[in-house]
Amino acid sequence: MRSLIVTLDGPAGSGKSTVARLLARRLDLEFLDTGAMYRGLTALCLDHGVDPGGEPKPIVALAEAHPLRFDWSQNPPRLYAGDLDITGRLRDEDVTENVSALASLTPVRQVLVRTQQEIGQEHVGLVTEGRDQGSVVFPKAQVKFYLDAQPHVRAKRRAQQLRDAGKPADEKKILEKIMARDERDSTRTHGPLICPDDAERIDTTDMSLEEVVDLLERKVNERVDMGDASRAGQEASS
Ligand code: DC
């Protein structure tokens, strides 16, 4: 596997998770879904009677007592908290409603950022997606993207995702919640949702999933080829 980190940041419903998973497969890299980690810790709090938006200390203690880890032998990888497989819990409504509050707590972010950086050291070929991957977690990543789309399209995609999982979906409510979550994720002090200066912004509003994945695959390969060529040039001239 090549040593390459590709970051994909962007707001809820921009298609990041699906795109990142498919892109990772095409490029023969592994896929890190960092939203799943915030969701997993939120589920853990709710299931242990800890307020996910409250005092950070008990939340950090829970994260330490039940470390989050992915089973990379599965595709997509499954998420465990300690020995418990919590993958099925990640998209539940109570988790979605509370995750943004937990993600705004600085000590909690510090724990998860550290875990993500450790994963990056162990898995050198990675497509990683979230809100702060290019800005905070992997600032030296070779290729960075920021995926965006009009809010109504993002709500539509999220609704479809829920229906595909056999869950009910009210698009209007989803749109309201997406906008509220964007606002909270963009205005928090630590690791807010931003487009890093060195990331390429891709508006996927009018693009199909296939078109987005094709485009990103092409761009990553161009960038990697350019990097190889410039390194070869430097070596030849030194
Ligand atoms: O991408 P998602 O919907 O699964 O993310 C769930 C929440 O976690 C979202 O409200 C933002 C937060 N999050 C974050 O703050 N930082 C990340 N790297 C990933 C997700």
Side-chain angles (χ1 to χ4, degrees), residues 8-14 16-17 33-39 42 90-91 95-96 98-104 109 112-113 116 128-133 137 158 161 181-182 184-185 188 190-193:
L8 235 79
D9 291 303
S14 55
K16 292 180 316 287
S17 301
D33 175 355
T34 62
M37 298 172 76
Y38 287 90
R39 287 173 179 272
T42 303
L90 303 179
R91 304 259 153 215
V95 172
T96 301
N98 285 284
V99 63
S100 198
L102 175 135
S104 69
R109 296 198 71 80
L112 293 188
V113 165
Q116 289 156 22
T128 175
E129 66 98 344
R131 306 292 190 285
D132 57 351
Q133 298 301 289
V137 183
R158 196 57 121 193
Q161 224 175 23
R181 200 138 63 90
D182 285 354
R184 272 199 304 271
D185 291 340
R188 63 173 173 244
H190 192 93
L193 168 66

Side-chain angles (χ1 to χ4, degrees), residues 28-185:
D28 193 24
L29 302 174
E30 285 174 309
F31 158 56
L32 175 60
D33 175 355
T34 62
M37 298 172 76
Y38 287 90
R39 287 173 179 272
L41 189 49
T42 303
L44 208 56
C45 288
L46 294 169
D47 298 344
H48 282 80
V50 171
D51 177 1
E55 240 329 281
K57 247 191 182 163
I59 304 176
V60 170
L62 259 186
E64 281 164 358
H66 307 266
L68 292 173
R69 62 174 182 87
F70 287 98
D71 174 1
W72 299 88
S73 67
Q74 308 291 317
N75 190 2
R78 297 193 71 82
L79 182 62
Y80 284 77
D83 292 333
L84 189 67
D85 183 345
I86 53 169
T87 316
R89 190 79 176 81
L90 303 179
R91 304 259 153 215
D92 286 349
E93 203 172 330
D94 58 339
V95 172
T96 301
E97 263 170 22
N98 285 284
V99 63
S100 198
L102 175 135
S104 69
L105 302 172
T106 297
V108 173
R109 296 198 71 80
Q110 285 167 338
V111 171
L112 293 188
V113 165
R114 204 179 324 121
T115 309
Q116 289 156 22
Q117 288 171 333
E118 283 163 9
I119 292 174
Q121 279 166 5
E122 284 162 21
H123 300 259
V124 291
L126 211 55
V127 177
T128 175
E129 66 98 344
R131 306 292 190 285
D132 57 351
Q133 298 301 289
S135 54
V136 174
V137 183
F138 299 108
K140 293 190 179 151
Q142 291 92 328
V143 189
K144 300 182 183 180
F145 295 109
Y146 183 90
L147 289 197
D148 208 350
Q150 294 289 328
H152 69 278
V153 171
R154 293 193 275 125
K156 202 177 200 144
R157 289 177 185 162
R158 196 57 121 193
Q160 192 56 48
Q161 224 175 23
L162 285 169
R163 287 187 201 112
D164 289 346
K167 294 181 177 164
D170 176 337
E171 230 169 274
K172 203 163 156 244
K173 271 198 193 138
I174 292 175
L175 178 60
E176 282 164 15
K177 285 181 186 170
I178 273 187
M179 305 224 9
R181 200 138 63 90
D182 285 354
E183 170 70 16
R184 272 199 304 271
D185 291 340

Side-chain angles (χ1 to χ4, degrees), residues 192-223:
L193 168 66
I194 51 156
C195 176
D197 287 343
D198 52 352
E200 183 163 355
R201 185 187 283 267
I202 313 272
D203 185 340
T204 70
T205 301
D206 297 317
M207 293 173 80
S208 70
L209 179 60
E210 188 76 5
E211 285 170 335
V212 179
V213 179
D214 284 348
L215 179 70
L216 298 197
E217 183 187 15
R218 213 168 49 241
K219 284 182 180 288
V220 172
N221 284 329
E222 277 168 15
R223 236 35 107 68

